[in-house]
Amino acid sequence: MQVNELTIEQLKDLIRETVRETIEELLTDPDTNQTIKDNFKQELLAIRKRREHGARGISTAEVMQRLGLENR
């Protein structure tokens, strides 16, 4: 199947899975063969659960304001 044949939902699922795999690869310590720390993993799972229930993070405008970048 080609990317142009995917539905929008299939493409989103593919992107989500790719991001999950990439994060796990980046956060695995190859020297000790340990995966991400449990507390960090739990936080990521909590974020995913909140998003699945419709919760969103803070807006870009709010991030810029918090960082004092709103006037740049």
Side-chain angles (χ1 to χ4, degrees):
M1 178 177 278
Q2 299 291 320
V3 172
N4 63 349
E5 296 171 344
L6 297 174
T7 66
I8 291 173
E9 199 56 42
Q10 289 171 322
L11 180 59
K12 286 180 179 181
D13 289 342
L14 176 63
I15 292 168
R16 283 185 190 105
E17 183 59 30
T18 302
V19 169
R20 282 186 192 116
E21 289 174 3
T22 302
I23 288 171
E24 188 161 325
E25 287 173 13
L26 290 171
L27 297 177
T28 301
D29 183 351
D31 294 334
T32 62
N33 200 29
Q34 289 183 327
T35 56
I36 60 177
K37 294 180 181 178
D38 283 335
N39 61 341
F40 186 66
K41 183 176 183 178
Q42 292 305 315
E43 181 62 27
L44 291 175
L45 292 171
I47 291 169
R48 182 172 76 181
K49 188 174 184 177
R50 285 192 305 268
R51 292 195 47 97
E52 287 172 352
H53 288 97
R56 297 287 180 207
I58 60 175
S59 68
T60 303
E62 188 173 340
V63 170
M64 290 181 69
Q65 182 181 9
R66 287 182 183 187
L67 295 174
L69 303 172
E70 70 272 6
N71 293 323
R72 292 184 183 197

